[in-house]
Amino acid sequence: MTNPSSSSPLPLDVTDLTVAYHEKPVLWDVDCVVPEGTLLAIVGPNGAGKSTFIKASLGLIPTAAGRIKIFGKPYASQRKRVGYVPQRESVDWDFPTHALDVVTMGRYGHLGWFMRPGKTEREMAMDALEKVGMAEFAQRQISQLSGGQQQRVFLARALVQDADLYFMDEPFSGVDAATERSIIQLLQELRFKGKTVIVVHHDLQTLKEYFDWCMLLNVRRIALGPVDEVLTKENLHRAYGGRAAFLRS
Amino acid sequence: MIFDIILIACIVAAACSMPGVFLVLRRLSLQSDAISHSVLFGIVISFFLVKNFHSPLLMIGAAATGVLTVMLSELLLKTKLVKEDASIGLVFPALFSIGVILISKYAGDIHLDVDAVLTGEIALAPFDRFVVGGVDLGPRSAWSMGLIALINLLLLLGFFKELKLSTFDAGLAASLGFRPHLLHYGLMIMVSITAVGAFDSVGSILVVALMIAPAATAYLLTDSLALMILLSMGIGITSAAVGVLLAFSLDTSISGTMAVVCGMFFAIALFFSPRYGMISKWLIARDRKWIFACYTLCVHLLHHEGTPEEEEESHVRHLQDDLKWEPKYAQKVVASGIRNGLLLKTGNHLHLTPLGKETVRSLMNRG
Amino acid sequence: MIDFDYTLTTVVLGGALVGLLSGVFGVYALLRKQSLLGDTISHAALPGIALVFLLLRVKHPLALTLGAMAAGWLGTMIMPAVVNRSRIKLDTIIAVVLAVFFGFGLALLSVIQKLPTANQAGLTKFLYGNASTMLRQDVHVMAAFTLISVCAVLLFWKEFKIATFDADYARSLGLPVRWLDMLLFSLIVVAITVGLQTVGVVLMSAMLVAPAAAARQWTNRMEIMALLSALFGMGASISGALLSSSITHLPTGPATVCIITLFFLISILFAPNRGLLWRWIRRRSHHGEITQARLLEELYWLEQNHEPGSHYHEIRSLQAVNRERIDRYLDTLTQQGWTERSGAGGIRLTSAGLKQVKTAHAEMEGKERL
């Protein structure tokens, strides 16, 4: 395989991943190798399997075929090195809890059974909230936050996991321009610290500005690599059909 | 007498099956549970007003309570403080409780037994005769339930097109000028009136069984709305008749036995329905799983054809290492691929046949 | 009632346990949007009770409860299995399981009633609940189950919480969400079967929904919500049990449900912040604030577009508020020192008012930038 002979194993190494839903392919024979310290965007049309790719990588859905390695090992043994930001719509925001409490959940994996989050966890959560500019909303009930603020809370929850590899499912959806900019700044900071960040993204316009790498996906992997190399007319046409023509102008 | 009971049960089942079909299709099955309970409140209140169990006012009261239940639930939902499940679960128990309390406090005035609210008293129904001018025309509840069934049938025929459209495409129905909301409430009134009519013969829970189970059984058997209505009517009537006979031979509660028979028909359809049964679904899924695995392998081979790593990717061992397939499973997939003429195996390497390539390409283009 | 004290303490203890359990587990049912499952579980439990009695011919509280649990559990396990493997939707299978299991239970009960030896009188209590027939040994069984369930909730509090709030995320952390769901589900079944004794099969679902829905109104913290819900549940079921054992012909279940529904109504209307009354008041005052801001804005605009300075504008020309109510709003503005009025129906912004408008503008811009 394309596994380079680097000393440290790759953050994400997916081989021949096939995922089917009711025997209909959602992802077909997708390979994806991501080097350390990359800020990677997964782009593709609706129903291309972008979220599915992330969920399969995290072992949240069964795969029909394929091998997934996180830092050289199966996901189950590497959970503490992986952070996850699910789609904002995936939870009920009327849940009786506040921002700090949600962020604290990021430590549950480290805490283990029967242990309760204590002072250390709360401090870590506060720090994370501070990083995303949400410290003053720590005690706010989560339904009283705006879409962008909710997204920041989710981001803080992933930060508090203190991972080396982050999966983020549409962190920019329903977010205002300022929040989008501060989120991308944060992601770039993570990248500079050597972390690997994989983001489901929608906007082809900002791709080049925000990300180093990009994977074009439409059930099959169309292309993977540095953004400039991937965003060719031919690749876009293969991913989006005729619809992408106007996007490149 | 047993004939009279079977007759009443069949009429009740027929009347229930008509609104039942739409409840099932519109995913409102639980409204039958809610309404069949809360109409008790309407019955009791109306009874206090008119002091007569055979007054048509009882029907109006019941229909009003049915609508009240639905409206209160929607009102709660509109506050956005509770979710849909809770909004239903908060309203009908309260109304039902008030009904039960009133009955048990004024048991002397109301000839309704608290137990009978749940089980009905179909065994006693034949004793209440409908006599006109000295001529015995049969049990009264057969007539009243027959009337309700007739009304349901007329409504169904009259609004068939509207009901069908608003059930399958509420948006389109609204844009065509139908009033989905009006139809919704119309349906709820139909459910309420049917529930009241059926109340004293089969009780509140069994109304749910007769409305939902036959319709759900029919739903497993057909895709046509008209056929579904006919089937669910037929299944309902058969369940009722079989239930009564069985109850007599086993000496058990008639309404309870009817519900069990309804459940048995449902279970049979659930397992053995040719198209939508669990067994045929399982068989189809199993076949498709193998075909899909075959295709997965073909796609994989095509993907790497002519690339430098083809040598390695096409190796049989690769299926275990990178596709993460168990050796046995991989063997089976390869065998089925070869059998179907999609693959060739030379040594330990797999190749696509021209047919295999063709198949995969056409699959890709479709996807 | 031979021994009033004995009955009374039994009733109070039993009621408290039932309320506690259904209150706590109702919170999970409510937050998972599975409130109606309570209805199914309780109805499905009836044949279990009847079968155990038919087999053993005695009313052994532990055996009956276990029978109810097994049947309730079976009934609820059928539902996801059918929904995942056929075209039948969840609401339909809930209704079918509920009605068919209950019908089977009724058929079995009718057999029991015809047994010559049976002292079946105590079994109909499972339909509507009857607190006054509760025995001390019933309470012991209930207490044992309550203790186990409450311990489980305390031990798995954070796991249950995250599995309820965000199951996918919990899974990504490595929590066995399937098993947690199963455990939680079984605990809900336990809570319901314990409650059948006093509330009865038919109305048990309300005991699961109403205390939790009422508690949700008063707090935004799940911990406090569970405590409040347990308190509401206990309050309602103790008072329901007491009422029904002191008033003849008053079944416990309906009495309890009426009381807990009352709790819910009070909560949804009067709870601070989330309550409807509170909301209505806030909307009104919010409306007032907006109107005031619009008036200031209009005065500012007049000032900018006409001669600036000490010019009074005619009140009649203001359009932000209709004529009848304008005086009230202008009075408040003047009281706050933002406007001043001339005797002849004129009005203008003061310097404080001007500042107020400008801070409002700055705030707006800040919000847009954020």
Side-chain angles (χ1 to χ4, degrees), chain B residues 27-30 33 76 79 81 83 85-86 90 92-93 96-97 101 104-105 114 118-119 205 209 216 219 222-223 251-253 256 260 263 270 276 278 281, chain C residues 30 33-36 39 43 85 87 89 91-92 94 99-100 102-104 106 110-111 114 128 202-203 206 210 247-249 251 254 257 264 268 274 279:
Chain B
R27 307 189 181 188
L28 293 171
S29 307
L30 291 168
D33 187 28
L76 273 181
T79 64
L81 294 171
K83 306 281 189 299
D85 58 324
L90 282 161
F92 82 83
F96 184 72
S97 299
I101 290 176
S104 34
K105 286 312 287 179
V114 174
L118 292 172
T119 61
I205 312 281
Y219 185 55
T222 177
D223 283 325
D251 197 13
T252 51
S253 143
V260 173
L270 184 66
Y276 297 111
M278 276 159 77
K281 267 201 150 184
Chain C
L30 187 84
K33 300 168 198 73
Q34 292 174 333
S35 302
L36 290 171
D39 212 20
H43 282 80
R85 289 179 184 76
R87 69 191 318 214
K89 311 293 183 296
D91 65 304
T92 305
I94 289 183
V100 173
F102 188 74
F104 185 46
L106 285 183
S110 63
V111 173
K114 282 165 191 145
Y128 294 113
V202 185
L203 291 164
I247 300 173
T248 49
H249 299 306
V257 169
F264 169 74
I268 199 168
R274 272 173 81 98
R279 236 199 229 178

Coordinates of all heavy atoms in Angstrom, one line a residue, chain B residues 27-30 33 76 79 81 83 85-86 90 92-93 96-97 101 104-105 114 118-119 205 209 216 219 222-223 251-253 256 260 263 270 276 278 281, chain C residues 30 33-36 39 43 85 87 89 91-92 94 99-100 102-104 106 110-111 114 128 202-203 206 210 247-249 251 254 257 264 268 274 279:
Chain B
R27 N -49.7 7.1 10.2 CA -48.9 7.0 11.4 C -49.5 7.6 12.7 O -48.9 8.3 13.5 CB -47.5 7.6 11.2 CG -46.9 7.0 10.0 CD -45.4 7.4 9.8 NE -45.0 6.8 8.6 CZ -43.7 6.8 8.2 NH1 -42.8 7.4 8.9 NH2 -43.4 6.3 7.0
L28 N -50.8 7.5 12.7 CA -51.6 8.0 13.9 C -52.1 6.9 14.7 O -53.1 7.2 15.5 CB -52.7 8.9 13.3 CG -52.3 10.2 12.6 CD1 -53.5 10.8 12.0 CD2 -51.6 11.1 13.6
S29 N -51.6 5.7 14.6 CA -52.2 4.6 15.3 C -52.4 4.9 16.8 O -53.4 4.4 17.4 CB -51.3 3.3 15.2 OG -51.0 3.1 13.9
L30 N -51.5 5.6 17.4 CA -51.7 5.8 18.8 C -52.8 6.7 19.2 O -53.3 6.8 20.3 CB -50.3 6.3 19.4 CG -49.3 5.2 19.4 CD1 -47.9 5.8 19.7 CD2 -49.6 4.1 20.4
D33 N -55.6 4.8 20.5 CA -55.5 4.5 21.9 C -55.9 5.7 22.8 O -56.7 5.6 23.7 CB -54.0 4.2 22.2 CG -53.7 3.7 23.7 OD1 -54.7 3.1 24.2 OD2 -52.6 4.0 24.2
L76 N -50.7 21.5 23.5 CA -49.5 21.2 24.3 C -48.2 21.2 23.4 O -47.2 21.8 23.8 CB -49.6 19.9 25.0 CG -50.3 19.9 26.3 CD1 -50.3 18.4 26.9 CD2 -49.6 20.8 27.3
T79 N -46.8 24.7 22.4 CA -46.1 25.4 23.4 C -44.6 25.1 23.2 O -43.7 25.8 23.8 CB -46.5 25.1 24.8 OG1 -46.1 23.7 25.1 CG2 -47.9 25.3 25.1
L81 N -43.0 23.0 24.7 CA -42.5 22.6 26.0 C -42.5 21.1 26.2 O -41.7 20.6 27.0 CB -43.3 23.3 27.1 CG -43.2 24.8 27.1 CD1 -44.2 25.4 28.1 CD2 -41.8 25.3 27.5
K83 N -42.7 17.2 23.9 CA -42.6 16.6 22.6 C -43.9 15.9 22.3 O -44.7 15.7 23.1 CB -41.4 15.7 22.5 CG -40.1 16.3 23.0 CD -39.5 17.1 21.8 CE -38.1 17.6 22.1 NZ -38.0 18.5 23.3
D85 N -44.7 12.7 21.7 CA -45.1 11.5 22.5 C -45.7 11.9 23.9 O -46.8 11.4 24.3 CB -43.9 10.6 22.7 CG -42.8 11.3 23.4 OD1 -42.6 12.5 23.2 OD2 -42.1 10.7 24.2
A86 N -45.1 12.9 24.5 CA -45.6 13.3 25.8 C -46.9 14.0 25.7 O -47.7 13.9 26.6 CB -44.5 14.2 26.5
L90 N -50.0 12.8 28.0 CA -50.5 13.6 29.1 C -52.0 13.8 29.1 O -52.6 14.0 30.1 CB -49.8 15.0 29.1 CG -48.3 15.0 29.6 CD1 -47.6 16.3 29.2 CD2 -48.3 14.9 31.1
F92 N -54.8 12.0 27.4 CA -55.8 11.0 27.5 C -55.9 10.3 28.8 O -57.0 10.1 29.3 CB -55.8 10.0 26.3 CG -54.8 8.9 26.4 CD1 -55.1 7.8 27.2 CD2 -53.6 9.0 25.8 CE1 -54.2 6.7 27.3 CE2 -52.7 7.9 25.9 CZ -53.0 6.8 26.7
P93 N -54.8 10.1 29.5 CA -54.9 9.5 30.8 C -55.7 10.3 31.8 O -56.5 9.9 32.6 CB -53.5 9.3 31.3 CG -52.7 9.3 30.1 CD -53.4 10.2 29.2
F96 N -59.4 10.1 30.8 CA -59.9 8.8 31.2 C -60.1 8.6 32.7 O -61.1 8.1 33.2 CB -58.9 7.8 30.6 CG -59.3 6.3 30.8 CD1 -60.3 5.8 30.1 CD2 -58.7 5.5 31.7 CE1 -60.7 4.5 30.2 CE2 -59.0 4.2 31.9 CZ -60.1 3.7 31.1
S97 N -59.1 9.2 33.4 CA -59.2 9.1 34.9 C -60.4 9.7 35.4 O -61.1 9.2 36.3 CB -57.9 9.7 35.5 OG -56.8 9.1 35.1
I101 N -63.3 7.8 37.6 CA -63.6 8.3 38.9 C -65.1 8.6 39.0 O -65.8 8.1 39.9 CB -62.8 9.5 39.3 CG1 -61.4 9.1 39.5 CG2 -63.4 10.2 40.6 CD1 -60.5 10.3 39.8
S104 N -67.0 5.3 39.0 CA -67.0 4.5 40.3 C -67.7 5.3 41.4 O -68.2 4.7 42.3 CB -65.6 4.1 40.6 OG -64.6 5.1 40.2
K105 N -67.7 6.6 41.4 CA -68.4 7.3 42.4 C -69.9 7.3 42.3 O -70.6 7.2 43.2 CB -68.0 8.8 42.4 CG -66.6 9.1 43.0 CD -66.3 8.5 44.3 CE -67.0 9.1 45.5 NZ -66.7 8.4 46.7
V114 N -66.8 -0.5 36.0 CA -65.5 0.0 35.7 C -64.6 -1.0 34.9 O -63.9 -0.6 34.0 CB -64.7 0.4 37.0 CG1 -63.3 0.8 36.7 CG2 -65.4 1.5 37.7
L118 N -63.0 -1.5 30.1 CA -61.9 -2.0 29.4 C -62.3 -3.2 28.5 O -61.7 -3.5 27.5 CB -60.8 -2.4 30.4 CG -60.1 -1.2 31.1 CD1 -59.2 -1.8 32.1 CD2 -59.3 -0.4 30.1
T119 N -63.2 -4.0 29.0 CA -63.5 -5.3 28.4 C -64.8 -5.3 27.6 O -65.0 -6.1 26.7 CB -63.6 -6.4 29.4 OG1 -64.7 -6.1 30.3 CG2 -62.3 -6.6 30.2
I205 N -59.7 -0.8 25.1 CA -58.4 -1.3 24.5 C -58.7 -2.2 23.3 O -57.9 -2.1 22.3 CB -57.7 -2.2 25.6 CG1 -57.6 -1.5 26.9 CG2 -56.3 -2.5 25.1 CD1 -56.6 -0.5 27.0
A209 N -57.3 -2.7 19.2 CA -57.0 -4.0 18.5 C -57.7 -4.1 17.2 O -57.1 -4.4 16.2 CB -57.3 -5.2 19.4
A216 N -53.0 -3.1 10.0 CA -51.6 -3.4 9.9 C -51.4 -4.7 9.1 O -50.4 -4.8 8.3 CB -51.0 -3.5 11.3
Y219 N -51.8 -4.0 5.6 CA -50.7 -3.2 5.1 C -49.5 -4.1 4.7 O -48.7 -3.8 3.8 CB -50.3 -2.2 6.2 CG -49.2 -1.2 5.8 CD1 -49.4 -0.4 4.7 CD2 -48.1 -1.1 6.6 CE1 -48.4 0.5 4.4 CE2 -47.1 -0.2 6.3 CZ -47.2 0.6 5.2 OH -46.3 1.5 4.8
T222 N -50.6 -5.8 0.9 CA -50.9 -5.1 -0.3 C -50.4 -3.7 -0.4 O -50.1 -3.1 0.7 CB -52.4 -5.0 -0.6 OG1 -52.7 -4.3 -1.8 CG2 -53.2 -4.4 0.6
D223 N -50.3 -3.1 -1.6 CA -49.9 -1.7 -1.7 C -51.0 -0.8 -2.2 O -50.9 0.4 -2.3 CB -48.8 -1.6 -2.8 CG -47.4 -2.0 -2.2 OD1 -47.2 -1.7 -1.0 OD2 -46.6 -2.6 -2.9
D251 N -64.2 -20.8 26.9 CA -64.8 -20.1 28.0 C -63.9 -19.0 28.6 O -63.6 -18.9 29.7 CB -65.1 -21.1 29.2 CG -66.1 -20.5 30.1 OD1 -66.7 -19.5 29.8 OD2 -66.3 -21.1 31.2
T252 N -63.5 -18.1 27.6 CA -62.7 -17.0 28.0 C -63.4 -15.7 27.7 O -64.4 -15.7 27.0 CB -61.3 -17.0 27.3 OG1 -61.6 -17.2 25.9 CG2 -60.4 -18.1 27.8
S253 N -62.8 -14.6 28.0 CA -63.3 -13.2 27.7 C -63.4 -13.1 26.2 O -62.4 -13.3 25.5 CB -62.4 -12.2 28.3 OG -62.3 -11.1 27.5
G256 N -61.2 -10.1 24.8 CA -59.8 -10.4 24.9 C -59.4 -11.5 23.9 O -58.3 -11.3 23.2
V260 N -56.6 -11.3 20.7 CA -55.6 -12.3 20.5 C -55.6 -12.9 19.1 O -54.6 -13.0 18.4 CB -55.7 -13.5 21.5 CG1 -54.7 -14.6 21.2 CG2 -55.4 -12.9 22.9
G263 N -54.2 -10.4 16.8 CA -52.8 -10.5 16.9 C -52.2 -11.7 16.2 O -51.1 -11.6 15.5
L270 N -47.0 -11.0 9.3 CA -45.7 -10.4 9.6 C -44.6 -11.4 9.2 O -43.6 -11.0 8.6 CB -45.6 -10.1 11.1 CG -44.3 -9.4 11.5 CD1 -44.2 -8.0 10.9 CD2 -44.2 -9.3 13.0
Y276 N -43.9 -8.6 1.9 CA -43.4 -7.8 3.0 C -43.2 -8.5 4.3 O -42.9 -8.0 5.3 CB -44.3 -6.6 3.2 CG -44.4 -5.7 2.1 CD1 -45.6 -5.6 1.3 CD2 -43.3 -4.9 1.7 CE1 -45.6 -4.7 0.2 CE2 -43.4 -4.0 0.6 CZ -44.5 -4.0 -0.1 OH -44.6 -3.1 -1.2
M278 N -41.4 -11.0 7.1 CA -40.1 -10.9 7.6 C -39.2 -12.0 7.0 O -38.1 -11.9 6.7 CB -40.0 -11.0 9.1 CG -40.3 -9.6 9.8 SD -40.8 -9.7 11.4 CE -39.4 -10.1 12.3
K281 N -38.4 -11.1 3.4 CA -37.5 -10.0 3.4 C -36.1 -10.5 3.8 O -35.1 -10.1 3.2 CB -37.9 -9.0 4.4 CG -38.7 -7.9 3.9 CD -38.7 -6.7 4.8 CE -38.9 -5.4 4.0 NZ -38.7 -4.2 4.8
Chain C
L30 N -39.0 10.5 29.0 CA -39.4 11.7 28.4 C -38.3 12.3 27.5 O -38.5 12.7 26.4 CB -39.7 12.7 29.5 CG -40.3 14.1 29.0 CD1 -41.8 13.9 28.8 CD2 -40.0 15.2 30.0
K33 N -37.9 10.7 24.3 CA -39.1 10.7 23.5 C -39.8 9.4 23.3 O -40.2 9.0 22.3 CB -38.8 11.3 22.1 CG -38.2 12.7 22.2 CD -37.7 13.2 20.9 CE -36.7 14.4 21.1 NZ -35.5 14.0 21.7
Q34 N -39.7 8.6 24.4 CA -40.3 7.3 24.4 C -41.4 7.2 25.5 O -41.7 6.2 26.0 CB -39.3 6.3 24.7 CG -38.3 6.1 23.6 CD -37.2 5.2 23.9 OE1 -36.8 5.0 25.0 NE2 -36.6 4.6 22.8
S35 N -42.1 8.3 25.7 CA -43.1 8.3 26.8 C -44.2 7.3 26.6 O -44.7 6.7 27.5 CB -43.7 9.7 26.9 OG -42.8 10.7 27.1
L36 N -44.5 7.1 25.3 CA -45.6 6.1 25.1 C -45.2 4.7 25.3 O -46.1 3.8 25.3 CB -46.2 6.4 23.7 CG -46.9 7.7 23.6 CD1 -47.3 8.1 22.2 CD2 -48.2 7.7 24.5
D39 N -46.9 3.1 28.2 CA -48.2 2.6 27.9 C -48.2 1.1 27.5 O -48.9 0.2 28.0 CB -48.9 3.4 26.8 CG -50.4 3.5 27.0 OD1 -50.8 3.3 28.1 OD2 -51.1 3.8 26.1
H43 N -49.3 -2.3 29.7 CA -50.4 -3.2 29.1 C -49.8 -4.6 28.9 O -50.5 -5.6 29.1 CB -51.0 -2.6 27.8 CG -51.9 -1.5 28.1 ND1 -51.5 -0.2 28.4 CD2 -53.3 -1.5 28.1 CE1 -52.6 0.5 28.5 NE2 -53.7 -0.2 28.4
R85 N -37.3 -4.9 10.8 CA -37.3 -5.9 9.8 C -38.6 -6.0 8.9 O -38.8 -6.9 8.2 CB -37.2 -7.3 10.5 CG -35.8 -7.5 11.0 CD -35.7 -8.8 11.7 NE -34.4 -9.0 12.4 CZ -34.0 -8.4 13.5 NH1 -34.9 -7.6 14.1 NH2 -32.8 -8.6 14.0
R87 N -42.1 -3.4 7.1 CA -42.5 -2.1 6.8 C -43.4 -1.5 7.8 O -43.9 -0.3 7.7 CB -43.3 -2.1 5.4 CG -44.6 -2.8 5.5 CD -45.2 -3.1 4.1 NE -45.1 -2.0 3.2 CZ -46.1 -1.7 2.3 NH1 -47.2 -2.4 2.2 NH2 -45.9 -0.8 1.4
K89 N -44.6 0.5 10.9 CA -44.1 1.6 11.6 C -44.2 1.5 13.1 O -45.0 0.7 13.6 CB -44.7 2.9 11.1 CG -44.8 3.1 9.7 CD -43.5 3.3 9.0 CE -43.6 3.5 7.5 NZ -44.1 2.4 6.8
D91 N -45.5 3.4 15.5 CA -46.7 3.7 16.2 C -47.7 2.5 16.0 O -48.4 2.2 16.9 CB -47.4 5.0 15.6 CG -47.7 4.8 14.2 OD1 -46.8 4.5 13.4 OD2 -48.9 5.0 13.8
T92 N -47.7 1.9 14.8 CA -48.6 0.8 14.6 C -48.2 -0.4 15.5 O -49.1 -1.0 16.1 CB -48.5 0.3 13.1 OG1 -48.7 1.5 12.3 CG2 -49.4 -0.7 12.8
I94 N -46.6 -0.4 18.3 CA -46.9 -0.1 19.7 C -48.4 -0.4 20.0 O -48.7 -1.1 20.9 CB -46.6 1.4 20.0 CG1 -45.1 1.7 20.0 CG2 -47.2 1.8 21.3 CD1 -44.8 3.1 20.4
A99 N -52.5 -3.6 22.5 CA -53.9 -4.2 22.5 C -53.9 -5.7 22.6 O -54.7 -6.3 23.3 CB -54.6 -3.7 21.3
V100 N -53.0 -6.3 21.8 CA -53.0 -7.8 21.8 C -52.5 -8.4 23.1 O -53.2 -9.3 23.6 CB -52.2 -8.3 20.6 CG1 -52.1 -9.8 20.6 CG2 -52.8 -7.8 19.3
F102 N -52.6 -7.0 26.0 CA -53.7 -6.7 27.0 C -54.9 -7.7 26.8 O -55.4 -8.2 27.8 CB -54.1 -5.3 26.9 CG -55.0 -4.8 28.0 CD1 -54.5 -4.6 29.2 CD2 -56.3 -4.6 27.8 CE1 -55.3 -4.2 30.3 CE2 -57.2 -4.2 28.8 CZ -56.6 -4.0 30.0
G103 N -55.2 -7.9 25.5 CA -56.4 -8.8 25.3 C -56.1 -10.2 25.8 O -56.9 -10.8 26.4
F104 N -54.8 -10.6 25.6 CA -54.4 -11.9 26.1 C -54.5 -12.0 27.6 O -55.0 -12.9 28.2 CB -53.0 -12.2 25.6 CG -52.5 -13.6 25.9 CD1 -53.3 -14.7 25.7 CD2 -51.2 -13.8 26.5 CE1 -52.8 -16.0 26.0 CE2 -50.7 -15.0 26.8 CZ -51.5 -16.1 26.6
L106 N -56.5 -10.2 29.5 CA -57.9 -10.2 29.9 C -58.4 -11.6 29.7 O -59.2 -12.1 30.6 CB -58.7 -9.2 29.0 CG -58.5 -7.8 29.3 CD1 -59.4 -7.0 28.4 CD2 -58.9 -7.5 30.7
S110 N -60.0 -13.9 32.7 CA -61.3 -14.4 32.7 C -61.2 -15.9 33.1 O -62.2 -16.5 33.7 CB -62.0 -14.2 31.4 OG -61.3 -14.9 30.3
V111 N -60.2 -16.6 32.7 CA -60.0 -18.0 33.1 C -59.8 -18.1 34.6 O -60.4 -18.9 35.3 CB -58.8 -18.6 32.4 CG1 -58.5 -20.0 32.9 CG2 -59.0 -18.7 30.9
K114 N -62.7 -17.8 36.8 CA -63.6 -19.0 36.9 C -63.1 -20.2 37.7 O -63.7 -21.2 37.8 CB -64.0 -19.4 35.5 CG -65.0 -18.5 34.9 CD -65.2 -18.6 33.4 CE -66.0 -17.5 32.9 NZ -65.6 -17.0 31.6
Y128 N -56.7 -1.0 37.6 CA -56.7 0.4 38.0 C -55.9 0.7 39.2 O -55.9 1.9 39.6 CB -58.2 0.8 38.2 CG -59.0 0.8 37.0 CD1 -60.1 -0.1 36.9 CD2 -58.8 1.7 36.0 CE1 -60.9 -0.2 35.8 CE2 -59.6 1.6 34.8 CZ -60.6 0.7 34.8 OH -61.4 0.6 33.7
V202 N -53.7 0.4 33.3 CA -54.2 1.3 32.3 C -53.6 2.7 32.4 O -53.4 3.4 31.4 CB -55.7 1.4 32.5 CG1 -56.4 2.2 31.4 CG2 -56.3 0.0 32.5
L203 N -53.3 3.2 33.6 CA -52.8 4.6 33.7 C -51.4 4.7 34.1 O -50.9 5.8 34.3 CB -53.7 5.2 34.7 CG -55.2 5.4 34.2 CD1 -56.1 5.7 35.3 CD2 -55.2 6.5 33.2
A206 N -49.2 7.5 32.4 CA -49.2 8.8 32.9 C -48.2 9.1 34.0 O -47.6 10.2 34.1 CB -50.6 9.2 33.3
A210 N -46.0 12.4 33.2 CA -46.4 13.7 33.9 C -45.4 14.2 34.9 O -45.0 15.4 34.8 CB -47.8 13.5 34.5
I247 N -61.4 7.2 50.8 CA -62.7 7.4 50.1 C -63.1 6.1 49.5 O -62.3 5.5 48.7 CB -62.6 8.6 49.1 CG1 -62.2 9.9 49.8 CG2 -63.9 8.7 48.4 CD1 -61.9 11.0 48.8
T248 N -64.3 5.6 49.7 CA -64.7 4.4 49.1 C -65.0 4.6 47.6 O -65.3 5.7 47.2 CB -66.0 3.8 49.7 OG1 -66.9 4.9 49.8 CG2 -65.6 3.3 51.1
H249 N -64.8 3.5 46.9 CA -65.1 3.6 45.4 C -64.2 4.6 44.7 O -64.6 5.1 43.7 CB -66.5 3.9 45.1 CG -67.5 2.8 45.7 ND1 -67.3 1.5 45.4 CD2 -68.5 2.9 46.5 CE1 -68.3 0.8 46.0 NE2 -69.0 1.7 46.7
P251 N -60.8 4.4 42.8 CA -59.6 3.6 42.5 C -58.3 4.5 42.5 O -58.4 5.7 42.2 CB -59.9 3.2 41.0 CG -61.1 3.9 40.6 CD -61.7 4.6 41.7
P254 N -56.7 6.3 38.9 CA -57.2 7.5 38.4 C -57.0 8.7 39.3 O -56.8 9.8 38.9 CB -58.7 7.2 38.2 CG -58.7 5.7 38.0 CD -57.6 5.2 38.8
V257 N -53.5 9.9 38.9 CA -53.3 10.5 37.6 C -53.9 11.9 37.6 O -53.3 12.9 37.1 CB -53.9 9.7 36.5 CG1 -53.9 10.4 35.2 CG2 -53.0 8.4 36.3
F264 N -48.7 18.9 36.7 CA -48.2 19.2 35.4 C -48.8 20.6 34.9 O -48.1 21.4 34.5 CB -48.5 18.1 34.4 CG -48.2 18.6 33.0 CD1 -46.9 18.7 32.6 CD2 -49.2 18.9 32.1 CE1 -46.6 19.1 31.3 CE2 -48.9 19.3 30.8 CZ -47.6 19.4 30.4
I268 N -46.7 23.8 33.9 CA -46.6 24.4 32.6 C -47.1 25.8 32.6 O -46.7 26.6 31.8 CB -47.3 23.5 31.6 CG1 -46.8 23.8 30.2 CG2 -48.8 23.7 31.6 CD1 -47.2 22.8 29.1
R274 N -39.8 28.9 31.9 CA -40.4 28.1 30.9 C -41.9 28.2 30.9 O -42.6 27.8 30.0 CB -40.0 26.7 31.0 CG -38.7 26.3 30.3 CD -38.3 24.9 30.6 NE -39.0 23.9 29.8 CZ -38.5 23.4 28.7 NH1 -37.4 23.7 28.3 NH2 -39.2 22.5 28.1
R279 N -43.8 33.4 30.2 CA -43.5 33.6 28.8 C -44.3 34.8 28.2 O -43.8 35.7 27.5 CB -43.8 32.4 28.0 CG -42.7 31.9 27.2 CD -43.3 31.0 26.1 NE -42.6 29.7 26.1 CZ -43.0 28.8 25.2 NH1 -44.0 29.0 24.5 NH2 -42.4 27.7 25.2

